[in-house]
Amino acid sequence: MRRKMTRPERSWVLYDVGNSAFILLVTTTIPILFRGLAEAEGIDTVYASGLWAAVTAAAVLFLAALSPVLGALADYSGMKKKLFCGALALGLLGMAGLCLTGSAMAYLGFFIAARLGYSACNVFYDAMLTDVTTDDRLDQISAAGYAWGYIGSCIPFMIGIVLIFTCPFGWSTMQATQVSFALTGVWWAALTVPLLRDVRQVHCLEDRPDKIRHSFSRLRETFGKLRQDKRMLFFILAYFFYIDGIYTIMSLATTYGAEVGIDQAQMILALLLTQFVAFPCALLTARAAEKRGGVRLIRLSILAYMGICAFGYQLDRAWEFWVLAVAVGMFQGGIQSLSRSHFGKMIPKEEANEYFGLFDIFGKAADCMGPAIVAFCAFVFHSSSFGILGLLILFAAGFWLLGKSEG
């Protein structure tokens, strides 16, 4: 019989509901507003797509370099929440900037700050999973975070969409969009409060005055352990490749759709549908993993994403964008939640932040590779379609390496 979630588990899940509202904007209205600002300043449409992809790649690559060190520091007693709060402040300040600026370049700068803060928070948040639950419930709670995050993030998003489409109080479309960003920032901050109140750092290392130097020493040891543990090494390498393709599809969907001529309203509504489809599918995938095994379900999802890339290459009609939105929703939450929980089962709990820092470096470094491929194709071939097709290579590599991790 499935047990009800404990208070720390619920509070952990609620944070996913809060921060997922930001990442929904990243895949929809944030890049759309940038495109509008860029066009108003005379920047070419395809060049704007490439610029957005390049900035996204640079931001995540920078955080990827910091993630292992931040994670190692967070393993010491009392450090996890302090670092989490610092990252949260950076993310919310970036959101505030997005609400105020009318310059395309300043907008990019504030987006970098918001994205870095969001991503750094996730290093510590993912590691908190081992503090709030037990190994036998990791799949269930991890999936609940993604599932409720998908559906809950729709609440501020739909309010924002109504504001954008109706422009009340005499607001312009840009003003209404910026107010929707502000609502999302408030939502993100408010749903962080339960986590700060209820989640405690259960697994930790004893604090010490030389923790910075000691963190680097521990990282060297951990990289040595990773090389020796072939199962974990192949899994994290597989994750590096397949999560790259997933993040790229998420972050560049609207810029690619606009490039091939899909109406902005159609794209936003289709991506909203993705959230509703992802909610039950993430929970169902976690249940299926109990019988079929998490790795088998991850491999099935990778194959589905290969089909999504092949279909996306020829995309040029609105109905095709809707089909892809449903397909992504069916597999997105499951593959992300199972990857997180599977890794959580493999690592020592008292060093969860350090290991999730490594997990994050592979995820974030990958997140720069996919956008870089799309940016290269946009600049060189004056089309992002070849970049979308190029993601097939990443998914194929991930599928093969995942097989090696079980061999």
Side-chain angles (χ1 to χ4, degrees):
M1 183 176 179
R2 302 176 74 86
R3 304 196 312 268
K4 292 183 178 180
M5 284 191 284
T6 64
R7 185 168 177 173
E9 288 172 344
R10 285 196 303 270
S11 297
W12 184 86
V13 167
L14 276 176
Y15 177 75
D16 215 325
V17 177
N19 78 344
S20 293
F22 167 74
I23 208 63
L24 181 54
L25 293 186
V26 172
T27 61
T28 53
T29 51
I30 285 180
I32 287 173
L33 181 56
F34 169 72
R35 180 176 294 275
L37 293 172
E39 289 176 353
E41 296 178 12
I43 300 175
D44 178 73
T45 299
V46 175
Y47 181 80
S49 295
L51 185 61
W52 184 261
V55 166
T56 299
V60 296
L61 184 61
F62 175 74
L63 186 68
L66 290 181
S67 291
V69 179
L70 292 174
L73 281 173
D75 280 325
Y76 297 100
S77 179
M79 289 298 297
K80 186 181 293 186
K81 279 191 179 178
K82 291 178 182 177
L83 292 171
F84 175 86
C85 288
L88 178 66
L90 177 62
L92 293 176
L93 285 173
M95 281 293 292
L98 293 176
C99 299
L100 299 173
T101 186
S103 162
M105 292 301 105
Y107 187 91
L108 276 175
F110 285 121
F111 170 71
I112 290 173
R115 186 66 187 264
L116 288 176
Y118 162 85
S119 299
C121 278
N122 280 351
V123 175
F124 315 118
Y125 170 71
D126 286 345
M128 289 177 189
L129 178 60
T130 60
D131 290 321
V132 301
T133 194
T134 54
D135 275 0
D136 63 311
R137 288 169 59 81
L138 283 175
D139 286 344
Q140 178 186 343
I141 302 304
S142 180
Y146 277 109
W148 287 105
Y150 287 132
I151 200 71
S153 64
C154 295
I155 297 173
F157 181 74
M158 287 189 293
I159 295 172
I161 290 301
V162 170
L163 292 175
I164 293 169
F165 285 166
T166 61
C167 294
F169 312 114
W171 293 339
S172 66
T173 301
M174 180 175 175
Q175 288 173 324
T177 304
Q178 291 175 323
V179 170
S180 75
F181 293 172
L183 288 173
T184 299
V186 171
W187 177 269
W188 181 6
L191 290 179
T192 305
V193 173
L195 180 142
L196 296 177
R197 181 191 61 211
D198 300 327
V199 175
R200 300 288 180 266
Q201 189 170 355
V202 176
H203 306 289
C204 60
L205 300 175
E206 185 178 347
D207 194 18
R208 51 191 296 163
D210 63 338
K211 52 181 167 285
I212 295 178
R213 182 183 61 81
H214 190 243
S215 294
F216 282 100
S217 175
R218 286 171 47 226
L219 280 171
R220 287 194 296 270
E221 293 177 4
T222 301
F223 274 113
K225 293 176 186 176
L226 188 61
R227 287 195 299 268
Q228 295 173 6
D229 189 338
K230 299 300 182 184
R231 180 168 172 258
M232 186 182 294
L233 178 62
F234 279 120
F235 174 75
I236 206 168
L237 287 174
Y239 178 77
F240 172 83
F241 284 101
Y242 71 71
I243 206 66
D244 173 32
I246 293 169
Y247 285 161
T248 303
I249 290 170
M250 289 170 60
S251 61
L252 301 181
T254 52
T255 53
Y256 178 64
E259 183 182 326
V260 298
I262 309 300
D263 178 70
Q264 290 183 359
Q266 291 262 26
M267 288 191 293
I268 290 173
L269 292 173
L271 292 173
L272 184 60
L273 176 61
T274 298
Q275 305 297 105
F276 284 98
V277 172
F279 171 66
C281 288
L283 296 175
L284 289 172
T285 301
R287 292 194 178 189
E290 294 176 1
K291 297 180 179 180
R292 303 293 181 181
V295 172
R296 181 178 295 181
L297 269 294
I298 293 173
R299 297 190 82 190
L300 176 63
S301 298
I302 293 173
L303 290 175
Y305 267 102
M306 293 176 75
I308 287 169
C309 288
F311 189 76
Y313 169 71
Q314 56 79 55
L315 185 148
D316 59 1
R317 296 179 180 88
W319 71 266
E320 293 174 333
F321 194 88
W322 283 85
V323 169
L324 286 183
V326 172
V328 168
M330 291 174 64
F331 297 98
Q332 180 174 285
I335 193 170
Q336 288 180 288
S337 65
L338 289 178
S339 297
R340 179 169 62 186
S341 58
H342 182 69
F343 187 72
K345 296 173 184 177
M346 301 169 72
I347 62 175
K349 302 298 182 290
E350 69 279 2
E351 297 177 291
N353 283 282
E354 179 182 348
Y355 276 89
F356 269 106
L358 293 176
F359 187 71
D360 198 68
I361 192 175
F362 280 87
K364 293 298 181 291
D367 195 13
C368 99
M369 186 166 59
I373 292 172
V374 177
F376 174 81
C377 292
F379 291 141
V380 175
F381 302 111
H382 209 65
S383 172
S384 301
S385 298
F386 292 107
I388 300 300
L389 193 63
L391 299 181
L392 279 170
I393 299 172
L394 304 178
F395 284 116
F399 185 86
W400 178 75
L401 287 165
L402 196 60
K404 295 279 288 183
S405 74
E406 294 297 292

